[in-house]
Amino acid sequence: MSVTAARGFRAAGAAAGLKPSGRPDVALVVNDGPADAAAGVFTRNRVQAAPVLWTRQVLTTGRLRAVVLNSGGANACTGPEGFADTHATAEHVGAALGIGAGEVAVCSTGLIGVRLPMDLLLPGVTQAVVALSPAGGDAAAEAIRTTDTVAKQAVRTSTSGAAGDGVVTVGGMGKGAAMLAPSLATMLVVVTTDAVADSATLDRVVREACRTTFERVDSDGCLSTNDTVLLLASGASGRSLPEAELTELVTAVCDDLAGQMLGDAEGSTKTISITVTGAASEADALEVGRSVARNNLLKCALYGKDPNWGRVLAAIGTTSAAFEPDRLDVTMNGIQVCRGGAPGEPRELVDLGGREISIVADLHAGDVELTVRTNDLTDGYVYENSAYST
Amino acid sequence: MSVTAARGFRAAGAAAGLKPSGRPDVALVVNDGPADAAAGVFTRNRVQAAPVLWTRQVLTTGRLRAVVLNSGGANACTGPEGFADTHATAEHVGAALGIGAGEVAVCSTGLIGVRLPMDLLLPGVTQAVVALSPAGGDAAAEAIRTTDTVAKQAVRTSTSGAAGDGVVTVGGMGKGAAMLAPSLATMLVVVTTDAVADSATLDRVVREACRTTFERVDSDGCLSTNDTVLLLASGASGRSLPEAELTELVTAVCDDLAGQMLGDAEGSTKTISITVTGAASEADALEVGRSVARNNLLKCALYGKDPNWGRVLAAIGTTSAAFEPDRLDVTMNGIQVCRGGAPGEPRELVDLGGREISIVADLHAGDVELTVRTNDLTDGYVYENSAYST
């Protein structure tokens, strides 16, 4: 149910014909209120797609009534004409729903540098408006897929306080299968809740949730021009949660979606968690985790089920984190293959046959620990990203 | 002839049996003088192999009488025992040549995290000593290959001044086919010259030569633990060149070797030059060039002959360089596919069929220009780096 799990939301998916396959490619999420507070986090790429520029501007009000999303085209690097296309899309949604264009967020995903076929997109948006339903979450999640092989949804409910009407629900949908990136790591995510919350609270909540989930995923080191995470609150539950609890729920939904993205990353055969322990600071731990996650040679080795821990050390060595090379320990799937910067247990003991791989790197320089997740680098990834434009 | 092209040098290659294939794996270069000035540049990786630690220490004297190199094992992440192995190798060379161990540089390349089989290596070094010859450059270049499909050599001679005995020669050999890296971009390079030059001059010359050649090559973004570039001067020509001319010759040799490495990079089908123009500073231009060179999605697209210029802009957008997104121009193999951050000429006009690909990115933020070179990302690269340990 994803984005329509929380009360106060309707959604829909439609096939506008943007994709040659004819599969659904337009999604619409509408917040029926009573409240319309919202917040968002966007790509840190300085080359930002037209819908990102538009939605950042719209969100300065702290309010959103609807989100329209399309796959089949990123509308990035399309100049003033591309921005006008985004504006026209929001206007079209606003007119159909009887709201202002300035209350409509727009998200796009697909090939960069190509204009959207507006003659197809706008009728598709109209179709989606007609199809809006409190049960439309699945259809919307389906319509934002690009190379994702499955739709990605997650729901969590509050456990504190009274049951029944008093329960707060948080639901989300996401798409992302490559270009999962070093700072904000997904393509498009919409999370909805029926909690009562103002936009300033939502802003803190969504930033904190992203910090420990999407921002610690680095599938292929490539930062998209379109990354967007939106959080909308309808207030339809009539309840407000303590901020920490709302943060926990939203974080759980984001973490679930991030895991689904890694599990479905283009061409991947491994989901790899890199836990950095004994770091002097969170910044150090993150730098080390990302450096390991982005090392192509290691990612190839893990695809080949080769516990080549030397490549972990080589990746750590490129960082500015506090550590001494002769104190580094590395454990792979439970076997401490490197101890004090030198060989530990025999690498033959490490079994890398399954999809999940755990790497623990101990810097022995402090007590901070965090985990960055990535995928292996495979011929499947190369194929998906060389055989056609995405 | 490479390292024996200049007068005053002998070299040899031998098969010690470090490689399962039985191919040559030990190289020796000896400077017979009359002078023995030397300088070097090393990996910026903080995890440094034992031979790098040893050779850095040796070079503090500004003198080298010999360089011993082995493939078949990097001797990195091998702890104090690994350092003792390097020391023993230098002692062995010194004893055989009647010089001090402290006059012997050691370089190793191969798998990280495994001790060298000294019972094989030392007899191999003895073989190399016996085989030393003023015509041994080819054999030495052959012996340092790992996954290189061809030996890499380059020679240049001075054109200024008198001919014949007065000519200064610079020759070099190199190996490197992956782990060509963001700061110092090769595995092992030895350059020799018969010029008369002191070690302080050689130090400036080798740093400047690396800065504009190996340091602007980024094959796969991975920085090795063993990268070493050594420059040895015998003074046997009896001539000293103006520093600028010597720098030019050494740079030409390094540039030639760097090009050979890119042409032979593991699994590559394309050699890609990324020229950044209109940058506000050299640092900006280098950051942009490296970011583009390291973008896996772009590298896959180019393998697939897809002029996906949006990925160039996405890569530029992750940098902190001075530029405005709506002023960026990108030209691929002569076709300006992006103008002012938006589509320019049709991408269909770009022919990416050949091995050489030229990308020009104009930031319109200044007048600095430089070129970074890289390769495409292919299933061949994935295969070579996943199918066995290197």
Side-chain angles (χ1 to χ4, degrees), chain A residues 313 323-329 339-342 363-364, chain B residues 46-47 79-80:
Chain A
L313 262 67
F323 72 86
E324 293 299 325
D326 59 0
R327 296 197 64 200
L328 295 171
D329 295 337
R339 193 173 298 133
L363 305 185
H364 291 290
Chain B
R46 291 168 59 199
V47 174

Side-chain angles (χ1 to χ4, degrees), chain A residues 349-368:
Chain A
L349 298 179
V350 182
D351 177 6
L352 300 181
R355 181 170 178 101
E356 302 291 328
I357 294 180
S358 155
I359 297 174
V360 181
D362 193 337
L363 305 185
H364 291 290
D367 56 10
V368 176

Side-chain angles (χ1 to χ4, degrees), chain A residues 351-388:
Chain A
D351 177 6
L352 300 181
R355 181 170 178 101
E356 302 291 328
I357 294 180
S358 155
I359 297 174
V360 181
D362 193 337
L363 305 185
H364 291 290
D367 56 10
V368 176
E369 171 176 328
L370 62 74
T371 298
V372 172
R373 290 180 287 177
T374 187
N375 294 109
D376 52 344
L377 179 55
T378 72
D379 44 11
Y381 175 89
V382 172
Y383 177 75
E384 289 211 39
N385 289 293
S386 62
Y388 53 88

Side-chain angles (χ1 to χ4, degrees), chain A residues 45-47 77 112-113 179 296-297 300-301 304 306 309 311 313-314 317 319-321 323 325 341-343 347 381 385-386 389-390, chain B residues 45-47 77 112-113 179 296-297 300-301 304 306 311 313-314 317 319-321 323 325 341-343 347 381 385-386 389-390:
Chain A
N45 200 310
R46 291 167 60 199
V47 175
C77 306
I112 303 176
M179 235 190 272
N296 279 350
L297 287 168
C300 285
D306 171 15
W309 59 265
R311 293 176 180 175
L313 262 67
T319 70
S320 60
F323 72 86
R347 63 172 77 204
Y381 175 89
N385 289 293
S386 62
S389 289
T390 52
Chain B
N45 201 310
R46 291 168 59 199
V47 174
C77 306
I112 303 176
M179 233 188 274
N296 278 351
L297 287 168
C300 285
D306 172 14
R311 292 176 180 174
L313 262 66
T319 71
S320 61
F323 72 85
R347 63 173 75 204
Y381 175 89
N385 289 293
S386 62
S389 288
T390 52

Side-chain angles (χ1 to χ4, degrees), chain A residues 1-12 28-33 133-141 152-158 164-173 190-195 231-238 249 253 256-257:
Chain A
M1 288 261 288
S2 72
V3 290
T4 51
R7 284 157 292 186
F9 293 93
R10 288 177 296 153
L28 186 61
V29 180
V30 174
N31 181 356
D32 289 321
S133 153
D138 293 349
K152 296 170 178 76
Q153 308 183 59
V155 177
R156 295 290 186 282
T157 53
S158 65
D165 278 357
V167 171
V168 165
T169 299
V170 176
M173 66 178 185
V190 179
V191 179
T192 59
T193 179
D194 46 20
L231 174 60
L232 289 74
S234 69
S237 72
L249 289 175
V253 166
D256 193 336
L257 292 172

Side-chain angles (χ1 to χ4, degrees), chain B residues 82-253:
Chain B
F83 190 82
D85 291 342
T86 290
H87 187 174
T89 307
E91 289 280 3
H92 192 80
V93 171
L97 295 175
I99 60 176
E103 301 173 299
V104 180
V106 182
C107 301
S108 301
T109 173
L111 183 62
I112 303 176
V114 177
R115 293 274 301 278
L116 290 171
M118 295 300 287
D119 57 328
L120 298 176
L121 177 58
L122 296 186
V125 170
T126 303
Q127 281 181 59
V129 170
V130 172
L132 278 170
S133 154
D138 292 350
E142 190 65 31
I144 59 173
R145 285 172 48 190
T146 52
T147 57
D148 306 68
T149 64
V150 291
K152 297 170 178 73
Q153 308 183 59
V155 177
R156 295 292 187 280
T157 52
S158 64
T159 50
S160 72
D165 280 355
V167 171
V168 164
T169 299
V170 177
M173 67 178 185
K175 69 79 45 190
M179 233 188 274
L180 299 178
S183 14
L184 182 58
T186 183
M187 291 292 282
L188 306 179
V189 170
V190 179
V191 179
T192 59
T193 180
D194 45 22
V196 174
D198 61 24
S199 64
T201 303
L202 294 179
D203 189 63
R204 289 192 299 272
V205 167
V206 71
R207 282 178 201 289
E208 177 61 16
C210 286
R211 186 178 70 81
T212 56
T213 58
F214 299 118
E215 294 189 14
R216 292 186 187 164
V217 168
D218 192 335
S219 175
D220 63 1
C222 297
L223 180 59
S224 157
T225 52
N226 289 58
D227 293 341
T228 302
V229 179
L230 299 175
L231 174 60
L232 288 74
S234 69
S237 72
R239 270 196 71 198
S240 73
L241 291 178
E243 185 170 327
E245 190 178 351
L246 184 59
T247 300
E248 196 178 309
L249 288 176
V250 174
T251 301
V253 166

